[in-house]
Amino acid sequence: RGSRDRSRSMSAPSRMEDAEEQHARRVSDGEAHQGSTDAEHHARPLEVQEVVEKLNTVPAFKVVDDETGDIVPTPGKGGEACLCWYADPHDARVALAIVAAREPGRQLSLGTTPLGTALAMSEGWGTGLPSMPLRLQASSAVLRSVRDVLSPLPERAAAALNARTSAFPVFLMEELQSPSVAPVFFRREDLASCWRISGRAPEALPDSLTLYDLRVLVLKMMSTGADWRSLMFVAPGSSLQQIDAASQHGAVRDLERQAAVARGDEPPPLEEAAAIA
């Protein structure tokens, strides 16, 4: 069930009728009928792995130990230490700073995990999971912006889902949907950017949009017989910028390491040393 931020419910846009001549209308109607038949053929609930794969196009962030590469516990609700994945890199950086202040000698950095994998692990959908408490954290800035309009989880959903995980707002807009693509956004800014990129005038952006809790939408995807192929989760621009910055930083570190090896200040990597031997 989606909350509405001055919104309408999610639905497929109506097909525009071709008004030129009867033959063209028949062709158009035949294509629409074929599309409808195809959608009905694919109308089914998704398996957990299918939902995970859809969400895995979006990154989540975590605090990691540089030496081991393991995720590091960060403060949760009420100060409880949890293994947490953050949707917003800013929130992850704040958590890293808190842990670094408490453990000044520990080398820490931000790592990434695909969002679908993080959601599945935090909800206990799998085996071999860590014994520590797990949670998924939506963007605190987005949560503040929708605090007054985001509905609480339905009772049955709340009972089935991880209580440590925050509400997780996502945004949809009917005007941006087509039969082949129904984008789901994690920030209003990215929705507005998509509106502009599509060639629409910024001032024509509607005030209304559909607001869902991500986990309610996921449960719907796994329980409702619909054609979910068009649903596409759009990674936040801030997340992509963080990954780009981390990639550039990693490239710089690699160049510095190569220069140190060339000067003899550092030994070559193990595989290179083995080749030399």
Side-chain angles (χ1 to χ4, degrees), residues 9-13 172-183 200:
S9 61
M10 181 175 63
S11 62
L172 303 92
M173 180 174 285
E174 184 176 353
E175 289 83 353
L176 287 175
Q177 297 173 19
S178 73
S180 59
V181 178
R200 296 173 171 91

Side-chain angles (χ1 to χ4, degrees), residues 21-41:
E21 53 184 294
Q22 189 173 3
H23 175 69
R25 284 200 301 271
R26 284 200 300 268
V27 171
S28 179
D29 289 344
E31 291 175 348
H33 175 72
Q34 177 62 39
S36 175
T37 301
D38 187 50
E40 291 172 2
H41 175 72

Side-chain angles (χ1 to χ4, degrees), residues 81-191:
C82 296
L83 300 181
C84 182
W85 293 270
Y86 298 87
D88 190 330
H90 173 74
D91 293 334
R93 288 193 292 269
V94 170
L96 187 153
I98 293 172
V99 177
R102 293 177 178 178
E103 303 180 54
R106 195 172 187 181
Q107 296 299 310
L108 303 167
S109 61
L110 289 189
T112 58
T113 298
L115 180 60
T117 300
L119 174 64
M121 292 184 68
S122 67
E123 292 298 332
W125 298 340
T127 58
L129 297 171
S131 58
M132 283 199 69
L134 309 173
R135 72 185 186 98
L136 186 62
Q137 175 65 48
S139 167
S140 57
V142 173
L143 283 171
R144 286 192 297 270
S145 73
V146 299
R147 181 182 301 148
D148 296 333
V149 294
L150 185 64
S151 298
L153 289 175
E155 186 175 343
R156 289 183 63 182
L161 295 169
N162 185 354
R164 293 185 178 90
T165 286
S166 68
F168 211 113
V170 292
F171 305 93
L172 303 92
M173 180 174 285
E174 184 176 353
E175 289 83 353
L176 287 175
Q177 297 173 19
S178 73
S180 59
V181 178
V184 181
F185 301 91
F186 294 85
R187 303 187 310 169
R188 283 194 183 94
E189 304 95 292
D190 298 307
L191 186 152

Side-chain angles (χ1 to χ4, degrees), residues 5 13 18 25 30 54 89 99 123 137 161 168 175 195 202 207 227 254 263:
D5 185 6
D18 186 352
R25 284 200 301 271
K54 275 189 171 291
V99 177
E123 292 298 332
Q137 175 65 48
L161 295 169
F168 211 113
E175 289 83 353
W195 178 270
D207 291 330
D227 183 3
D254 286 344
R263 293 193 303 268

